[in-house]
Amino acid sequence: MSAYKLSPSLLSCDFTKLGEEVKLLEKQNVPYIHIDVMDGLFVPNISIGIPVVECLRKITDLVLDTHLMIVEPERYIEQFAAAGSDIINFHIEACKDPLSAIDKIHSLGKKAGITIKPKTPVKDIEPYLSAVDLVLVMSVEPGFGGQGLIPETLEKVRQLADIKKNNSLLFELEIDGGVKLDNLERVKAAGAEVIVAGSAIFKGDTSANIAAFNDMLK
Ligand code: DX5
Ligand code: ZN
């Protein structure tokens, strides 16, 4: 088993082929599917939501890694849990009471993830690191696929990997934004364990792209 988990972001996929693309991911043993939910307020874009999670849940057992880029995410935790999300990631910048959001996610039998934007320091989430199952470091400003990775964000991945190791914490460390084959070694070296990639997977030949990522994540 690889130490790394690939979490392809559906934001860049051809939505007319959603089911087929998911079957391709399954065939190549991809463990997670990253679902980007945007509300047009927390980020200047609108994407997919609860009905899409429900449809995906009907066709796959893969882990549905749900990235909520919405204001007051606590309002929708129950609905995403009921729709079939396995991991519910919310942004620290959008949430007034992170501990109660984490508790709510856990009480619904789901994994809780906390997410930071590129300019948010690691210290802002330190109080929650022992409570969450996953920490997501955004390596681009959230809102759009296809942007370039901001190199400074890798320093935060390093910091979090150190904190995890030094305190024997259990969270998985995820990175999201601008990850491509040509920066994957640097991303791995920084300590990321769950690798989100959108355009690098779904632009061009999806199967060949997954195979190339799988090869580098062995
Ligand atoms: C951006 C999203 C990302 C995005 C990644 O707000 O959270 O998941 O889809 O896409 P790429 O890999 O193209 O940067
Ligand atoms: Zn995302």
Side-chain angles (χ1 to χ4, degrees), residues 195-216:
I195 315 287
V196 177
S199 46
I201 296 284
F202 292 107
K203 296 294 172 220
D205 182 340
T206 307
S207 276
N209 294 336
I210 298 168
F213 267 86
N214 277 347
D215 220 39
M216 283 185 69

Side-chain angles (χ1 to χ4, degrees), residues 100-168:
S100 82
I102 293 164
D103 282 351
K104 192 165 178 180
I105 295 167
H106 284 156
S107 74
L108 295 163
K110 307 297 181 176
K111 291 191 170 169
I114 200 155
T115 307
I116 47 174
K117 297 206 285 184
K119 293 194 186 91
T120 304
V122 166
K123 71 168 172 38
D124 288 15
I125 53 168
E126 275 201 58
Y128 314 110
L129 294 179
S130 59
V132 290
D133 305 285
L134 183 139
V135 174
L136 169 52
V137 175
M138 287 303 301
S139 38
V140 297
E141 287 298 337
F144 300 90
Q147 306 178 71
L149 183 144
I150 300 168
E152 293 76 25
T153 59
L154 292 179
E155 185 47 43
K156 293 197 292 182
V157 175
R158 266 180 228 114
Q159 272 181 47
L160 283 157
D162 280 349
I163 295 172
K164 173 176 169 166
K165 194 170 163 218
N166 296 337
N167 298 280
S168 308

